[in-house]
Amino acid sequence: MADVNDVNNVVEALKFMVLGMGVVFLFLFVLVKVVELQAKLIAKYFPENAPQTPAVPAVNVTEDENRRVAAIIAAVTEFRNKKS
Amino acid sequence: MRLKQIFIALLFALVALSSSAYAEGHEATTHQEESAEKKAYQPKSISELASSFWETTGIKAIIDTDDGEMSADPAGESKEHVMSAFESSLGRIIMILIVFTLFYLAIAKGFEPLLLIPIAFGGLLANIPLAHMAGPEGMLGVIYNMGIANEFFPLLIFMGVGAMTDFGPLLANPKTALLGGAAQFGIFGSLVGAAALGFDLQDASAISIIGGADGPTSIFIANRLAPDMLGAIAVAAYSYMALVPVIQPPIMRALTTKEERQIKMGVQRPVHRLEKLIFPIIVLMLSIMVLPESTPLIGAFAFGNFAKESGVVDRLSDTMQNSLINTVTIFLGLGVGSKLAADKFLVLESLGIMVIGLLAFSAGTAMGVLMAKLMNKFSKEPINPLIGAAGVSAVPMSARVVSKVGSEEKPGNILLMHAMGPNVAGVIGSAVAAGVLLSIFK
């Protein structure tokens, strides 16, 4: 990093930018494609059926619980806001 | 409920810390006196006793600018130097005022209190004169050497974040992951800016990672590329993450039209459990093939997420996302805070880091929004450009901000889940960007 190439640093940084953004996009693009493929394969070979049903009530319970908690939080916030 | 518990736990931790800090300082001074007395005990008059006590008080240490006090550095003696008059007096006072500002922001404004409180309190402790808490023997120095100097804590945090992250929204609409890529322009754009400001390339890279809006990644990279600037970089990263609700909305509004902000996005498809289970493995495999440099980060992240989605080790994933990450957060905060000592932080570079960090954050947000606009033009399903802003990681803060702005524009338009997709992709994106930067300086 000699001080001679002060301008070069910016050029180097631009090169880093091209490389970096390229790799990030490529990585995410491949990831998107793989995930889409995965979704298709899973939908084909493991359709949502029997093994999924026992899990459904459990999910609903937690969701209900979440909703209840959300409602309680909302009520409390409302109450506090009115108070202040 | 949980927040309250965390708050109480933090409060206790603070009380415990402050009392241990007191005990430690107290012990140190009595120890010093003892050894001095043992060497050559002379009967002392009361005025001599009083004056020797005065020598050890903090008031004297701050008033007397020329006492040749050594700075404290966790790396040990080699890096210590005699503090300048400014560093040992006015500098401390300035830093303590900065710390109180951080307290104010954390408590009154609610900006990332879980991080700012430990960091700021660590900063307060690090600026105590004579106690040398940030030195290799001091509490903060021990913490720093234990997990920050060797990059251990950031990885533990990443593990916890992985265990907390739900990739469902991303899997439901994988295309939005590209928004998380666009926002990484914040990193590389500000890298050019930092280079133009005259930082050398390695320092510039360490600073620009702030644009990734990801605390652990910033610490990880800063430690590898520019350990001297770690404190300022970590503080900048966390303060800007805390300031997401202030920084992002104006940029989001400036770059979008009212109609665009009102776009409603459809309901997300349900995601199969297997997809979620396989996803962390896919991410890890891809990064093993492309960027082994970034696998410490992505590996820890994937492990946390895999443990969560496997569904059979709830105890482990629960520990990772609660007790472990909370414990590490306390240590990480205090350790980073030790770099808020006046002689480390009050240097010109810190100002540059703050400016570039802000630039990086804004550029990332802007690029994410612009990319989302572009995708909206070409996509079959409508995409609200606001969700692009969530592409900077800052999970889940920026997704919440997006959702808030969206529902202000059109009540009932809930973008939270849609914004979570780019948001978690941003985490992966910034880890990849970090790997690229590391590979350059390998």
Side-chain angles (χ1 to χ4, degrees):
Chain A
M1 316 272 163
D3 47 347
V4 191
N5 42 21
D6 200 33
V7 189
N8 270 1
N9 264 1
V10 177
V11 178
E12 287 300 304
L14 281 170
K15 288 185 212 159
F16 290 5
M17 182 158 96
V18 173
L19 175 74
M21 289 307 283
V23 173
V24 170
F25 266 116
L26 192 71
F27 188 94
L28 290 173
F29 185 74
V30 174
L31 186 68
V32 168
K33 288 298 155 203
V34 174
V35 165
E36 279 172 356
L37 180 72
Q38 176 202 227
K40 263 184 213 150
L41 286 179
I42 287 177
K44 192 171 168 193
Y45 293 107
F46 303 93
E48 314 259 343
N49 52 22
Q52 204 62 3
T53 22
V56 168
V59 170
N60 278 348
V61 168
T62 51
E63 254 180 24
D64 273 352
E65 194 64 16
N66 282 346
R67 276 188 202 141
R68 258 176 59 197
V69 171
I72 292 169
I73 291 170
V76 169
T77 333
E78 184 80 17
F79 177 71
R80 284 201 186 135
N81 285 349
K82 268 183 193 163
K83 239 171 130 185
S84 57
Chain B
M1 188 69 178
R2 232 179 89 208
L3 259 182
K4 201 174 168 188
Q5 277 171 352
I6 293 172
F7 181 73
I8 290 173
L10 270 178
L11 203 68
F12 272 115
L14 279 185
V15 170
L17 282 176
S18 54
S19 60
S20 76
Y22 171 76
E24 200 167 288
H26 189 70
E27 233 165 57
T29 45
T30 49
H31 185 72
Q32 263 176 9
E33 274 165 18
E34 258 169 30
S35 63
E37 271 170 5
K38 267 175 195 157
K39 268 179 204 155
Y41 181 74
Q42 301 281 330
K44 285 178 181 168
S45 72
I46 190 74
S47 65
E48 275 171 342
L49 279 176
S51 76
S52 75
F53 178 73
W54 167 245
E55 288 289 318
T56 64
T57 57
I59 303 172
K60 191 253 169 196
I62 285 181
I63 295 174
D64 185 358
T65 53
D66 197 21
D67 54 359
E69 198 193 337
M70 299 296 287
S71 71
D73 190 283
E77 312 234 321
S78 57
K79 284 208 167 177
E80 287 171 21
H81 62 275
V82 178
M83 294 179 93
S84 69
F86 171 75
E87 284 168 1
S88 72
S89 56
L90 189 62
R92 289 191 197 279
I93 297 172
I94 294 176
M95 284 315 294
I96 289 176
L97 291 178
I98 291 179
V99 162
F100 283 139
T101 316
L102 293 179
F103 283 157
Y104 171 76
L105 290 178
I107 298 168
K109 298 281 178 185
F111 289 165
E112 293 267 326
L114 288 174
L115 284 161
L116 280 190
I117 296 261
I119 290 180
F121 215 93
L124 184 57
L125 297 180
N127 280 295
I128 298 173
L130 303 178
H132 289 286
M133 291 190 67
E137 314 280 300
M139 180 179 85
L140 299 178
V142 170
I143 292 176
Y144 185 87
N145 286 329
M146 185 167 74
I148 297 181
N150 55 19
E151 302 157 3
F152 182 47
F153 289 160
L155 296 180
L156 284 182
I157 297 270
F158 236 61
M159 215 155 93
V161 173
M164 285 198 257
T165 302
D166 179 7
F167 281 107
L170 179 64
L171 291 166
N173 198 356
K175 259 178 277 155
T176 55
L178 293 177
L179 298 173
Q184 304 314 317
F185 177 74
I187 296 180
F188 295 104
S190 62
L191 175 60
V192 178
L197 271 183
F199 284 96
D200 80 37
L201 283 171
Q202 197 157 340
D203 289 351
S205 307
I207 299 167
S208 60
I209 200 76
I210 297 172
D214 194 332
T217 310
S218 304
I219 293 174
F220 190 83
I221 293 297
N223 212 4
R224 290 268 181 105
L225 299 181
D228 287 340
M229 297 194 295
L230 175 70
I233 289 174
V235 170
Y238 280 118
S239 345
Y240 288 136
M241 273 166 74
L243 289 172
V244 158
V246 183
I247 299 173
Q248 286 199 321
I251 301 172
M252 286 152 69
R253 290 199 191 96
L255 291 176
T256 50
T257 62
K258 197 161 176 64
E259 293 79 55
E260 282 173 328
R261 272 174 271 150
Q262 290 182 335
I263 291 176
K264 266 204 158 185
M265 292 182 69
V267 181
Q268 291 186 336
R269 75 173 173 90
V271 175
H272 196 287
R273 192 178 150 247
L274 266 181
E275 288 179 63
K276 288 189 183 181
L277 181 64
I278 298 172
F279 184 74
I281 303 290
I282 294 179
V283 175
L284 186 56
M285 287 300 161
L286 276 178
S287 64
I288 289 172
M289 284 188 281
V290 183
L291 275 170
E293 287 283 344
S294 65
T295 39
L297 286 167
I298 292 184
F301 189 75
F303 169 55
N305 194 252
F306 189 70
K308 170 183 177 250
E309 299 298 352
S310 72
V312 289
V313 285
D314 283 346
R315 283 163 48 183
L316 303 189
S317 99
D318 183 59
T319 302
M320 278 187 249
Q321 45 183 299
N322 293 296
S323 32
L324 183 63
I325 200 170
N326 287 349
T327 312
V328 177
T329 301
I330 294 174
F331 286 150
L332 187 82
L334 287 174
V336 169
S338 75
K339 291 282 175 181
L340 286 184
D343 57 307
K344 304 276 185 320
F345 193 80
L346 289 179
V347 287
L348 200 61
E349 278 96 17
S350 297
L351 197 67
I353 291 171
M354 289 291 173
V355 172
I356 295 166
L358 182 62
L359 191 91
F361 238 85
S362 315
T365 307
M367 205 58 174
V369 173
L370 291 177
M371 178 83 181
K373 275 178 85 137
L374 191 74
M375 280 176 75
N376 184 38
K377 292 258 170 9
F378 292 100
S379 163
K380 276 168 274 166
E381 304 125 33
I383 292 175
N384 190 317
L386 290 178
I387 69 167
V392 303
S393 355
V395 179
M397 185 75 95
S398 52
R400 282 198 204 129
V401 169
V402 167
S403 191
K404 190 162 163 272
V405 174
S407 61
E408 271 167 16
E409 292 295 330
K410 186 171 192 176
N413 191 7
I414 296 167
L415 296 171
L416 184 65
M417 287 325 264
H418 296 284
M420 279 313 280
N423 209 186
V424 295
V427 177
I428 299 173
S430 54
V432 172
V436 173
L437 289 177
L438 283 179
S439 75
I440 292 173
F441 294 104
K442 184 71 182 168

